[in-house]
């Protein structure tokens, strides 16, 4: 597998060897239940306390504001269900946006169906970003929670969460603001005070940490009803015997991410820029999705639509050619529906089926981009030649999405 090229870091990242080393001690030797009384257990407890302090300091929070969870999906769910349940007396209006991860959108849909929430879903612009004024305009007196993602997993669009939080709080001081910072945390770093949010979601496996370990930051005083109860762990906010090794790994990963952020950003931007500039030149009838202004885009994220092909078929051919990539979010890969993110941005559904996402990481090199640029154009050409649908002039509604 040595020659394979991995371009799917938004889906998951390879664990850093230093993370794995830090975890092994807690899998092999310090495996005791942190809630027990004896000295070995207390060492495990101390490791969790240390991990909590590292995570808190990395995002500008207090240790007691950090709730460890099993990952991004659980943190999103806890934030939404927890705030809505704890705020019933004040209202049940919940605002989110159309391009959120399904962990947020499906939770909203279920709560709406069950009558536990009245949901407003705000739209996005052609670049996938949310307009803070649109969010603010949706806020009502009975709004209890607003959840807008910091950066989108499919098209890398970065939202101005600080502005959104400021405007929401100005309209309704009681409304809580949550952001899913799963994709932004590693590339940009997040500070809960700079963002002005009440709740924030992180997951370890997007920044070279372990899978199955996440964080929900909940500012002190945030109304939050626990969704898993029993053992009283995490100060009664999330029960379950802690996965010490995973939490130690998560903390080590966040420490490393902070230490090498500048270098990571420069590296990822270089690869991203080259691919974004070159791919539409080498493939006719292709275009960039997501912000073209790279200040509004996660470093390392490059996403495209290619007319008259199926993204899934291209991915299979790329896989055979040694390149691992994605058509959107990992969870929509394999489904026949076009991406909800692209459709919300206004991409015609038929064109959205030809979407591809390449996300770079620490181990990628310029040679990886060169290889992709070498193998992809002939694959597209071959697929178009085989297609039962003739490759014709693109319909008028494709044109804004394709490079001229
Ligand atoms: C934006 C976003 N939120 C939430 C998640 C879910 O995180 P996890 O896989 O840790 O449950 C993901 C993972 O793809 C994501 O990209």
């Amino acid at each position: 597998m040595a020659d394979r090229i991995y371009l799917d870091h938004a889906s998951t990242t390879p664990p850093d060897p230093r993370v794995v080393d830090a975890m092994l001690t807690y899998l092999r030797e310090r495996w005791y239940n942190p809630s027990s009384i004896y000295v070995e257990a207390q060492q495990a407890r101390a490791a969790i306390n240390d991990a909590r302090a590292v995570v808190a300091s990395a995002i500008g929070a207090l240790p007691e504001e950090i709730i460890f969870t099993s990952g991004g999906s659980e943190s999103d769910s806890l934030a939404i269900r927890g705030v809505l349940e704890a705020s019933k007396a004040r209202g049940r209006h919940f605002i989110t946006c159309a391009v959120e991860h399904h962990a947020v959108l499906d939770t909203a849909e279920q709560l709406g169906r069950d009558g536990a929430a009245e949901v407003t879903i705000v739209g996005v612009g052609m670049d996938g970003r949310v307009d803070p004024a649109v969010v603010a305009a949706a806020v009502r007196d009975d709004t209890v929670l607003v959840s807008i993602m910091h950066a989108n997993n499919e098209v890398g669009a970065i939202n101005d969460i600080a502005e959104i939080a400021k405007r929401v709080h100005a309209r309704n001081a009681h409304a809580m603001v949550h952001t899913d910072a799963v994709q932004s945390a590693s590339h940009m770093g997040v500070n809960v005070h700079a963002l002005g949010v009440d709740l924030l979601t992180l997951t370890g496996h997007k920044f070279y940490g372990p899978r199955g370990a996440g964080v929900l930051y909940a500012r002190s005083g945030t109304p939050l009803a626990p969704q898993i109860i029993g053992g009283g762990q995490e100060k009664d906010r999330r029960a379950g015997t802690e996965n010490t090794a995973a939490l130690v790994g998560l903390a080590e990963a966040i420490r490393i991410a902070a230490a090498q952020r500048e270098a990571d950003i420069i590296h990822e931007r270089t690869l991203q820029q080259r691919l974004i500039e070159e791919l539409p030149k080498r493939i006719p009838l292709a275009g960039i999705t997501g912000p073209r202004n790279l200040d509004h885009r996660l470093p390392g994220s490059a996403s495209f639509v290619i007319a008259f092909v199926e993204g899934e078929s291209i991915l299979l051919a790329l896989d055979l050619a040694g390149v691992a990539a994605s058509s959107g979010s990992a969870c929509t890969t394999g489904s026949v529906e076009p991406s909800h993110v692209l459709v919300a941005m206004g991409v015609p559904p038929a064109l959205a089926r030809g979407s591809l996402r390449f996300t770079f990481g620490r181990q990628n090199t310029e040679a990886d981009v060169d290889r992709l640029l070498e193998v992809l154009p002939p694959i597209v050409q071959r697929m178009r030649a085989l297609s039962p649908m003739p490759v014709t002039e693109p319909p008028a509604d494709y044109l804004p999405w394709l490079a001229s």
Side-chain angles (χ1 to χ4, degrees):
M1 299 289 270
D3 290 324
R4 299 217 17 119
I5 298 175
Y6 183 70
L7 301 179
D8 199 17
H9 290 80
S11 157
T12 198
T13 49
D16 188 294
R18 291 164 286 183
V19 167
V20 177
D21 286 345
M23 291 174 69
L24 281 176
T25 312
Y26 290 89
L27 288 168
R28 289 205 173 111
E29 292 126 37
R30 303 193 175 172
W31 42 262
Y32 300 87
N33 188 326
S35 297
S36 298
I37 205 93
Y38 29 84
V39 64
E40 296 89 342
Q42 290 313 305
Q43 284 174 342
R45 167 65 50 211
I48 293 174
N49 290 343
D50 290 349
R52 198 183 305 282
V54 169
V55 172
S57 121
I59 65 169
L62 299 169
E64 59 270 27
E65 294 174 321
I66 301 298
I67 306 170
F68 285 129
T69 68
S70 67
S73 301
E74 186 190 331
S75 295
D76 284 344
S77 179
L78 174 57
I80 298 166
R81 291 173 196 279
V83 170
L84 279 158
E85 190 182 324
S87 312
K88 268 187 204 149
R90 270 203 45 251
R92 58 190 180 96
H93 185 225
F94 170 45
I95 301 170
T96 187
C97 81
V99 299
E100 294 289 321
H101 189 271
H102 281 293
V104 170
L105 282 178
D106 291 1
T107 302
E109 196 200 329
Q110 190 182 66
L111 291 171
R113 220 185 311 124
D114 294 348
E118 192 188 326
V119 184
T120 298
I121 297 185
V122 298
V124 294
M126 277 180 75
D127 62 356
R129 299 176 77 223
V130 180
D131 180 348
V134 172
V135 180
V139 176
R140 312 189 315 211
D141 288 349
D142 64 342
T143 303
V144 291
L145 180 66
V146 176
S147 181
I148 303 290
M149 72 200 319
H150 194 194
N152 183 267
N153 42 311
E154 292 191 34
V155 297
I158 300 168
N159 285 314
D160 188 347
I161 296 298
E163 184 64 22
I164 290 171
K166 195 173 84 186
R167 290 186 185 221
V168 169
H169 287 140
R171 294 233 2 171
N172 180 342
H174 298 294
M176 297 291 123
V177 176
H178 166 250
T179 192
D180 176 335
V182 159
Q183 292 291 336
S184 56
S186 92
H187 306 275
M188 305 164 64
V190 288
N191 180 290
V192 292
H193 296 293
L195 293 175
V197 292
D198 304 290
L199 302 117
L200 177 139
T201 289
L202 299 175
T203 191
H205 72 104
K206 309 284 184 180
F207 46 84
Y208 305 88
R211 235 157 291 153
V215 172
L216 179 65
Y217 156 79
R219 188 178 50 73
S220 297
T222 300
L224 192 73
Q227 302 300 306
I228 304 177
I229 54 174
Q233 289 90 350
E234 298 299 300
K235 292 195 192 303
D236 280 325
R237 293 166 300 181
R238 195 274 190 182
T241 304
E242 300 89 338
N243 184 348
T244 312
L247 302 182
V248 166
L250 173 98
E252 180 64 0
I254 214 167
R255 190 192 62 71
I256 295 168
Q260 52 183 90
R261 180 155 300 124
E262 300 290 302
D264 282 350
I265 291 175
I266 293 170
H267 176 65
E268 291 175 359
R269 275 268 184 251
T270 309
L271 305 181
Q272 171 193 47
Q273 233 157 358
R274 179 156 158 68
L275 185 60
I276 280 186
E277 272 165 27
E278 284 300 317
L279 188 143
K281 284 190 208 157
R282 301 197 189 193
I283 299 178
L285 304 178
I288 299 155
T289 54
R292 284 157 200 242
N293 174 351
L294 295 189
D295 291 342
H296 294 157
R297 182 167 196 127
L298 286 177
S301 151
S303 55
F304 306 90
V305 277
I306 303 181
F308 306 117
V309 288
E310 288 281 337
E312 299 296 311
S313 317
I314 303 275
L315 289 180
L316 292 175
L318 277 176
D319 189 24
L320 286 175
V323 178
S326 158
S327 61
S329 66
C331 26
T332 54
T333 298
S335 88
V336 287
E337 291 297 306
S339 142
H340 71 284
V341 173
L342 297 180
V343 171
M345 287 161 55
V347 178
L351 179 59
R353 286 182 206 282
S355 69
L356 291 177
R357 177 188 74 178
F358 304 100
T359 45
F360 297 106
R362 286 180 193 151
Q363 274 106 356
N364 290 128
T365 62
E366 294 204 36
D368 294 344
V369 183
D370 290 342
R371 176 97 185 110
L372 175 65
L373 287 169
E374 189 185 305
V375 299
L376 186 56
I379 289 175
V380 171
Q381 207 178 12
R382 206 170 64 233
M383 295 288 164
R384 283 179 176 160
L386 289 174
S387 166
M389 296 175 297
V391 177
T392 54
E393 281 293 300
D397 61 349
Y398 279 26
L399 296 180
W401 304 96
L402 304 178
S404 47

Short mmCIF file of all heavy atoms in Angstrom, two decimals, residues 42-72:
data_model
loop_
_atom_site.label_atom_id
_atom_site.label_comp_id
_atom_site.label_asym_id
_atom_site.label_seq_id
_atom_site.Cartn_x
_atom_site.Cartn_y
_atom_site.Cartn_z
N GLN A 42 -6.34 5.89 40.46
CA GLN A 42 -6.14 7.33 40.64
C GLN A 42 -5.15 7.89 39.61
O GLN A 42 -5.24 9.06 39.22
CB GLN A 42 -5.71 7.65 42.07
CG GLN A 42 -6.84 7.43 43.08
CD GLN A 42 -8.16 8.08 42.62
OE1 GLN A 42 -8.22 9.26 42.34
NE2 GLN A 42 -9.23 7.27 42.51
N GLN A 43 -4.22 7.03 39.15
CA GLN A 43 -3.31 7.47 38.08
C GLN A 43 -4.09 7.69 36.78
O GLN A 43 -3.84 8.64 36.05
CB GLN A 43 -2.23 6.41 37.84
CG GLN A 43 -1.16 6.41 38.91
CD GLN A 43 -0.19 5.26 38.72
OE1 GLN A 43 -0.47 4.29 38.01
NE2 GLN A 43 0.96 5.37 39.37
N ALA A 44 -5.05 6.80 36.55
CA ALA A 44 -5.89 6.96 35.35
C ALA A 44 -6.73 8.24 35.49
O ALA A 44 -6.88 9.00 34.54
CB ALA A 44 -6.79 5.74 35.17
N ARG A 45 -7.26 8.47 36.67
CA ARG A 45 -8.04 9.69 36.91
C ARG A 45 -7.19 10.93 36.66
O ARG A 45 -7.63 11.90 36.02
CB ARG A 45 -8.57 9.67 38.36
CG ARG A 45 -9.14 10.96 38.90
CD ARG A 45 -10.39 11.42 38.19
NE ARG A 45 -11.39 10.38 38.07
CZ ARG A 45 -12.27 10.28 37.07
NH1 ARG A 45 -12.28 11.17 36.10
NH2 ARG A 45 -13.15 9.30 37.03
N ALA A 46 -5.93 10.88 37.15
CA ALA A 46 -5.04 12.04 36.99
C ALA A 46 -4.77 12.29 35.49
O ALA A 46 -4.71 13.44 35.04
CB ALA A 46 -3.72 11.79 37.73
N ALA A 47 -4.65 11.20 34.73
CA ALA A 47 -4.40 11.36 33.28
C ALA A 47 -5.58 12.04 32.60
O ALA A 47 -5.41 12.88 31.71
CB ALA A 47 -4.14 9.99 32.65
N ILE A 48 -6.79 11.69 33.04
CA ILE A 48 -7.98 12.32 32.45
C ILE A 48 -8.05 13.79 32.84
O ILE A 48 -8.36 14.66 32.02
CB ILE A 48 -9.26 11.56 32.87
CG1 ILE A 48 -9.25 10.17 32.24
CG2 ILE A 48 -10.52 12.33 32.46
CD1 ILE A 48 -10.37 9.26 32.67
N ASN A 49 -7.70 14.07 34.10
CA ASN A 49 -7.69 15.48 34.53
C ASN A 49 -6.68 16.28 33.70
O ASN A 49 -6.96 17.41 33.29
CB ASN A 49 -7.34 15.59 36.02
CG ASN A 49 -8.46 15.07 36.90
OD1 ASN A 49 -9.59 14.92 36.43
ND2 ASN A 49 -8.15 14.76 38.15
N ASP A 50 -5.52 15.67 33.48
CA ASP A 50 -4.50 16.37 32.67
C ASP A 50 -5.02 16.60 31.25
O ASP A 50 -4.84 17.67 30.67
CB ASP A 50 -3.20 15.55 32.59
CG ASP A 50 -2.47 15.52 33.93
OD1 ASP A 50 -2.87 16.30 34.83
OD2 ASP A 50 -1.53 14.71 34.08
N ALA A 51 -5.65 15.56 30.68
CA ALA A 51 -6.17 15.68 29.30
C ALA A 51 -7.20 16.80 29.25
O ALA A 51 -7.23 17.60 28.31
CB ALA A 51 -6.79 14.35 28.86
N ARG A 52 -8.04 16.87 30.26
CA ARG A 52 -9.08 17.90 30.30
C ARG A 52 -8.45 19.30 30.34
O ARG A 52 -8.90 20.23 29.66
CB ARG A 52 -9.97 17.68 31.53
CG ARG A 52 -11.31 18.37 31.47
CD ARG A 52 -12.11 18.17 32.75
NE ARG A 52 -12.31 16.78 33.13
CZ ARG A 52 -13.20 15.97 32.57
NH1 ARG A 52 -13.98 16.42 31.62
NH2 ARG A 52 -13.32 14.72 32.97
N ALA A 53 -7.39 19.41 31.14
CA ALA A 53 -6.73 20.72 31.26
C ALA A 53 -6.08 21.12 29.93
O ALA A 53 -6.14 22.29 29.52
CB ALA A 53 -5.68 20.67 32.37
N VAL A 54 -5.49 20.16 29.24
CA VAL A 54 -4.85 20.45 27.95
C VAL A 54 -5.90 20.91 26.92
O VAL A 54 -5.71 21.91 26.23
CB VAL A 54 -4.10 19.19 27.42
CG1 VAL A 54 -3.66 19.38 25.97
CG2 VAL A 54 -2.90 18.87 28.30
N VAL A 55 -7.00 20.18 26.84
CA VAL A 55 -8.05 20.53 25.87
C VAL A 55 -8.63 21.90 26.22
O VAL A 55 -8.81 22.76 25.34
CB VAL A 55 -9.17 19.44 25.86
CG1 VAL A 55 -10.34 19.90 25.02
CG2 VAL A 55 -8.61 18.12 25.35
N ALA A 56 -8.91 22.11 27.51
CA ALA A 56 -9.50 23.39 27.92
C ALA A 56 -8.58 24.54 27.54
O ALA A 56 -9.02 25.54 26.94
CB ALA A 56 -9.75 23.39 29.44
N SER A 57 -7.30 24.39 27.84
CA SER A 57 -6.40 25.51 27.56
C SER A 57 -6.25 25.72 26.05
O SER A 57 -6.14 26.86 25.59
CB SER A 57 -5.08 25.30 28.30
OG SER A 57 -4.02 25.25 27.43
N ALA A 58 -6.34 24.64 25.26
CA ALA A 58 -6.20 24.78 23.80
C ALA A 58 -7.35 25.59 23.20
O ALA A 58 -7.17 26.25 22.17
CB ALA A 58 -6.15 23.40 23.14
N ILE A 59 -8.52 25.56 23.82
CA ILE A 59 -9.66 26.28 23.22
C ILE A 59 -10.10 27.47 24.07
O ILE A 59 -11.14 28.07 23.81
CB ILE A 59 -10.85 25.34 22.92
CG1 ILE A 59 -11.45 24.75 24.21
CG2 ILE A 59 -10.46 24.23 21.97
CD1 ILE A 59 -12.79 24.04 23.98
N GLY A 60 -9.33 27.79 25.09
CA GLY A 60 -9.64 28.97 25.91
C GLY A 60 -10.78 28.75 26.90
O GLY A 60 -11.47 29.70 27.27
N ALA A 61 -10.97 27.49 27.31
CA ALA A 61 -12.08 27.17 28.22
C ALA A 61 -11.55 26.84 29.61
O ALA A 61 -10.33 26.74 29.83
CB ALA A 61 -12.86 25.98 27.67
N LEU A 62 -12.46 26.64 30.56
CA LEU A 62 -12.08 26.14 31.88
C LEU A 62 -12.21 24.62 31.86
O LEU A 62 -13.09 24.09 31.16
CB LEU A 62 -13.03 26.69 32.95
CG LEU A 62 -13.06 28.20 33.10
CD1 LEU A 62 -14.22 28.63 34.00
CD2 LEU A 62 -11.72 28.68 33.66
N PRO A 63 -11.38 23.91 32.63
CA PRO A 63 -11.47 22.44 32.60
C PRO A 63 -12.89 21.93 32.88
O PRO A 63 -13.34 20.97 32.24
CB PRO A 63 -10.50 22.01 33.70
CG PRO A 63 -9.52 23.13 33.80
CD PRO A 63 -10.28 24.39 33.48
N GLU A 64 -13.61 22.58 33.79
CA GLU A 64 -14.96 22.08 34.12
C GLU A 64 -15.97 22.34 33.01
O GLU A 64 -17.11 21.87 33.07
CB GLU A 64 -15.45 22.66 35.45
CG GLU A 64 -15.53 24.16 35.53
CD GLU A 64 -14.24 24.82 36.04
OE1 GLU A 64 -13.15 24.22 35.86
OE2 GLU A 64 -14.32 25.92 36.61
N GLU A 65 -15.56 23.08 31.99
CA GLU A 65 -16.46 23.33 30.85
C GLU A 65 -16.29 22.29 29.74
O GLU A 65 -16.94 22.38 28.70
CB GLU A 65 -16.21 24.73 30.29
CG GLU A 65 -16.59 25.83 31.30
CD GLU A 65 -16.22 27.24 30.83
OE1 GLU A 65 -15.13 27.41 30.22
OE2 GLU A 65 -16.99 28.16 31.10
N ILE A 66 -15.38 21.34 29.97
CA ILE A 66 -15.10 20.31 28.95
C ILE A 66 -15.84 19.03 29.31
O ILE A 66 -15.64 18.47 30.39
CB ILE A 66 -13.57 20.02 28.89
CG1 ILE A 66 -12.79 21.28 28.54
CG2 ILE A 66 -13.25 18.86 27.94
CD1 ILE A 66 -13.12 21.88 27.20
N ILE A 67 -16.68 18.54 28.39
CA ILE A 67 -17.36 17.25 28.58
C ILE A 67 -16.79 16.30 27.54
O ILE A 67 -16.89 16.57 26.33
CB ILE A 67 -18.89 17.39 28.39
CG1 ILE A 67 -19.44 18.49 29.29
CG2 ILE A 67 -19.58 16.05 28.62
CD1 ILE A 67 -20.89 18.86 28.99
N PHE A 68 -16.18 15.22 28.00
CA PHE A 68 -15.67 14.23 27.04
C PHE A 68 -16.82 13.34 26.57
O PHE A 68 -17.66 12.90 27.37
CB PHE A 68 -14.57 13.39 27.69
CG PHE A 68 -13.26 14.14 27.82
CD1 PHE A 68 -12.58 14.18 29.04
CD2 PHE A 68 -12.69 14.78 26.72
CE1 PHE A 68 -11.36 14.86 29.15
CE2 PHE A 68 -11.48 15.46 26.83
CZ PHE A 68 -10.81 15.50 28.04
N THR A 69 -16.83 13.08 25.26
CA THR A 69 -17.87 12.25 24.65
C THR A 69 -17.21 11.22 23.73
O THR A 69 -15.98 11.14 23.67
CB THR A 69 -18.83 13.12 23.80
OG1 THR A 69 -18.09 13.60 22.66
CG2 THR A 69 -19.39 14.31 24.58
N SER A 70 -18.04 10.53 22.97
CA SER A 70 -17.50 9.52 22.04
C SER A 70 -17.17 10.11 20.67
O SER A 70 -16.77 9.39 19.78
CB SER A 70 -18.50 8.38 21.87
OG SER A 70 -19.65 8.88 21.20
N GLY A 71 -17.38 11.42 20.46
CA GLY A 71 -17.03 12.00 19.16
C GLY A 71 -17.95 13.14 18.77
O GLY A 71 -18.79 13.60 19.57
N GLY A 72 -17.79 13.56 17.53
CA GLY A 72 -18.53 14.72 17.04
C GLY A 72 -20.04 14.51 17.03
O GLY A 72 -20.81 15.40 17.41
#
